[in-house]
Amino acid sequence: LAIKGCIRCHKKLALEEERKDEYLKAIHHRNRIYQLLHTNKRTIPACQQLIMIAFLYGQLEQYKESADVLSDAIRRLFQGVQSFDLMPKDRISLLIRCYHMRAICYAKQQLWNKAFEQYDEALPLIAREEGMNSRDYNSALIHKSALLVTTGDYATALTTVNQYFKNVKDSLTVRQGLQLVDDGDHIMALDTLAAAHLKL
């Protein structure tokens, strides 16, 4: 009970600091929450805190620190798991999020190969768990295609972004009048398509 109360208190303080954009102070509180959860072997909540800490470092544009925290989260998610096929489902969604966020961190640091590795890890995972017409899969696909344009691989970028537009065409979600991804991602896909065509 004492530990639960301590976690609640730090969570409340973290949220207050986040509302004030005091991200370093919020990170301090979330680190304490993580330590308490880690000590009590609560893997999922502990990794959720690490992901939140990584997000806060991203808000501070400290992308190396963010990527390092995400690497810790990935290592922890694999603890006690002998093979990926035996990984509990509730860990897989967090793993996907870690790969996607770490790809963005590496891209921000211009570590292109590392960023591509993250998308190559994440996309098959998302396809298996959520399907190729899922929001997460297509968002990752668009971000990867934009990164390919940035690195000058226009032909692969075009192939990749065209897969998104094919998914849009085939999607029941779109036929029902809903979007496959949010507006920002869709605009990024259109810009990527235009840029790749322009360079080819």
Side-chain angles (χ1 to χ4, degrees):
L1 284 176
I3 291 173
K4 282 185 179 179
C6 196
I7 288 171
R8 256 195 316 269
C9 180
H10 279 290
K11 195 172 284 187
K12 182 181 177 183
L13 291 168
L15 289 169
E16 286 176 3
E17 298 298 351
E18 287 159 19
R19 278 194 289 270
K20 294 185 288 185
D21 294 344
E22 294 283 355
Y23 298 127
L24 282 175
K25 291 179 181 177
I27 287 168
H28 169 77
H29 290 295
R30 291 200 177 273
N31 262 320
R32 184 63 187 134
I33 297 168
Y34 165 72
Q35 289 161 8
L36 290 165
L37 292 166
H38 175 70
T39 302
N40 282 272
K41 296 181 168 47
R42 297 186 61 199
T43 299
I44 300 301
C47 288
Q48 287 170 335
Q49 288 304 313
L50 288 177
I51 289 169
M52 192 63 209
I53 291 165
F55 171 78
L56 294 171
Y57 274 125
Q59 293 293 98
L60 292 165
E61 298 184 357
Q62 294 182 18
Y63 300 113
K64 182 184 182 303
E65 290 78 1
S66 182
D68 288 345
V69 172
L70 291 165
S71 296
D72 288 342
I74 290 168
R75 278 192 292 272
R76 187 163 172 78
L77 287 166
F78 274 104
Q79 276 180 357
V81 179
Q82 292 182 342
S83 73
F84 181 80
D85 290 335
L86 297 174
M87 181 173 282
K89 271 192 171 293
D90 56 356
R91 294 192 188 193
I92 292 173
S93 60
L94 292 178
L95 187 62
I96 289 168
R97 192 171 174 196
C98 286
Y99 283 140
H100 199 168
M101 288 175 67
R102 199 163 63 165
I104 293 168
C105 290
Y106 287 143
K108 292 287 188 181
Q109 297 173 81
Q110 298 186 3
L111 300 171
W112 311 123
N113 287 338
K114 285 189 172 184
F116 285 125
E117 284 170 8
Q118 302 311 298
Y119 286 119
D120 291 342
E121 292 279 4
L123 283 163
L125 267 181
I126 304 169
R128 195 183 86 173
E129 294 301 311
E130 302 176 21
M132 292 176 66
N133 282 331
S134 67
R135 180 179 292 265
D136 286 342
Y137 183 85
N138 285 282
S139 177
L141 205 60
I142 291 164
H143 282 262
K144 182 182 179 181
S145 66
L147 191 59
L148 286 161
V149 165
T150 302
T151 56
D153 190 349
Y154 304 112
T156 310
L158 188 60
T159 301
T160 306
V161 79
N162 275 336
Q163 179 62 55
Y164 160 68
F165 287 109
K166 180 182 182 300
N167 292 345
V168 169
K169 185 179 176 183
D170 296 342
S171 172
L172 179 62
T173 300
V174 174
R175 288 201 295 273
Q176 290 171 341
L178 302 172
Q179 286 184 275
L180 204 53
V181 294
D182 63 30
D183 287 340
D185 280 349
H186 185 68
I187 290 167
M188 185 187 291
L190 292 170
D191 289 346
T192 300
L193 183 68
H197 273 301
L198 190 66
K199 294 292 185 177
L200 289 174

